[in-house]
Amino acid sequence: MTQLSLAYIFQHQKLLVDQNLQLPQVEKLASDLPIHHNDHVIARDLLENESIPEGYQLVPIRELIQSWSSSDFLQASRAVQLLEWRRNHKFCSHCGHATEIHPKEYAMVCPSCAYHQYPRVQPCIITIITKGNDEILLAKSAHNKSNMHGLIAGFVEVGETLEEAVQREAFEEVGLKLKNIRYMSSQPWPFPSNLMIAFHAEYDSGDIQLQLEEISEAAFFKFDQLPEIPFKGSIAHSMIMQIIDNKKAS
């Protein structure tokens, strides 16, 4: 009897699930990627010309964050990032030759020059900035059409520390200088392959000056007067709730 594998089947950023948001179980194909070596959980691309199986639907992975457990989302995040890596490394970046999948490692190998291309993550900092005992800086992205206000975030640049990235992003986006920068937590963020690294920092000096191409609004909000914030399951939501809960408990 053929053993079925639990399958994360993606079409770009949308995952195949049934009406109860459960994953399908399928026979493993040679082209499938194991999520972890030697287990029976796989990742697979659903091609544009392939039909969706009856009883299933494609759901954006962002929508599943609020319904799934943290461990289930992290596994889905791993699956979609591995598929993204494989799609983007079909050819060698050194010599242009078609690559092959390494039989034992997560590596796309060039048979011509032997160059190995491994999965990469892009480190991003996300910072919750507090002022006094009961205020948080929240900002609205210039690219977001909703009224959601989030935290200051951005990519870590080559040659800078995480703490330097926190200071730079805050100064660039809202014109503020920070102090007492402290690490909080991290979360894989598969859009497409980021690692969000969370920090708490305190306001030090400066007046809010918006980087208008990135931020349309920003202000300090009282804990009990917050606007719409990021959805539950996101690291931003967790950071905001953690700061508020810690202040209430102190």
Side-chain angles (χ1 to χ4, degrees):
M1 184 176 178
T2 303
Q3 184 170 3
L4 299 179
S5 297
L6 193 67
Y8 289 87
I9 302 177
F10 281 93
Q11 192 171 88
H12 304 296
Q13 290 283 333
K14 293 183 178 181
L15 179 63
L16 188 71
V17 292
D18 65 15
Q19 300 301 315
N20 297 316
L21 304 181
Q22 299 299 303
L23 298 171
Q25 295 196 28
V26 300
E27 291 187 20
K28 188 175 180 180
L29 304 177
S31 59
D32 291 337
L33 275 173
I35 301 302
H36 303 282
H37 291 299
N38 302 319
D39 68 8
H40 295 284
V41 183
I42 59 95
R44 178 187 298 177
D45 279 316
L46 182 69
L47 304 179
E48 298 288 350
N49 59 354
E50 288 187 272
S51 59
I52 299 173
E54 185 176 353
Y56 287 86
Q57 58 185 326
L58 288 170
V59 175
I61 189 173
R62 283 180 182 271
E63 295 182 11
L64 297 172
I65 298 174
Q66 302 177 69
S67 303
W68 281 11
S69 68
S70 176
S71 60
D72 286 342
F73 173 72
L74 290 179
Q75 187 153 262
S77 170
R78 180 178 176 85
V80 72
Q81 289 181 74
L82 286 172
L83 291 171
E84 179 82 10
W85 157 74
R86 185 173 69 174
R87 284 195 299 269
N88 291 339
H89 293 86
K90 293 181 178 179
F91 296 93
C92 177
S93 61
H94 278 193
C95 70
H97 196 283
T99 56
E100 299 173 351
I101 299 176
H102 194 285
K104 295 182 180 180
E105 299 178 350
Y106 289 119
M108 301 296 284
V109 183
C110 177
S112 177
C113 70
Y115 181 63
H116 287 47
Q117 298 176 112
Y118 295 95
R120 297 285 189 269
V121 295
Q122 302 172 93
C124 303
I125 56 88
I126 181 169
T127 309
I128 185 163
I129 302 169
T130 57
K131 186 177 183 182
N133 292 320
D134 62 349
E135 290 186 301
I136 297 173
L137 181 86
L138 295 173
K140 184 178 177 182
S141 170
H143 312 292
N144 191 346
K145 296 181 180 179
S146 75
N147 198 39
M148 186 185 74
H149 287 62
L151 304 177
I152 299 300
F155 290 103
V156 179
E157 293 186 351
V158 172
E160 73 179 351
T161 66
L162 298 176
E163 292 81 2
E164 288 170 344
V166 168
Q167 288 279 16
R168 175 183 53 76
E169 286 290 342
F171 189 74
E172 287 179 354
E173 294 194 350
V174 290
L176 302 182
K177 292 185 178 181
L178 310 178
K179 63 182 179 180
N180 298 330
I181 299 171
R182 299 181 295 279
Y183 170 80
M184 291 181 69
S185 62
S186 63
Q187 180 184 44
W189 197 243
F191 306 106
S193 190
N194 303 334
L195 176 64
M196 304 301 295
I197 306 164
F199 288 89
H200 173 209
E202 297 174 16
Y203 167 81
D204 185 23
S205 63
D207 297 321
I208 293 176
Q209 297 182 28
L210 304 181
Q211 185 182 24
L212 293 176
E213 61 268 29
E214 295 292 337
I215 304 295
S216 61
E217 299 175 21
F220 282 98
F221 293 87
K222 297 286 187 181
F223 288 175
D224 59 355
Q225 298 176 1
L226 298 182
E228 180 184 349
I229 63 172
F231 50 82
K232 184 178 180 181
S234 66
I235 194 169
H237 184 278
S238 175
M239 293 165 68
I240 293 169
M241 293 300 102
Q242 182 178 335
I243 290 296
I244 292 175
D245 290 343
N246 287 346
K247 291 293 185 180
K248 288 180 178 178
S250 62

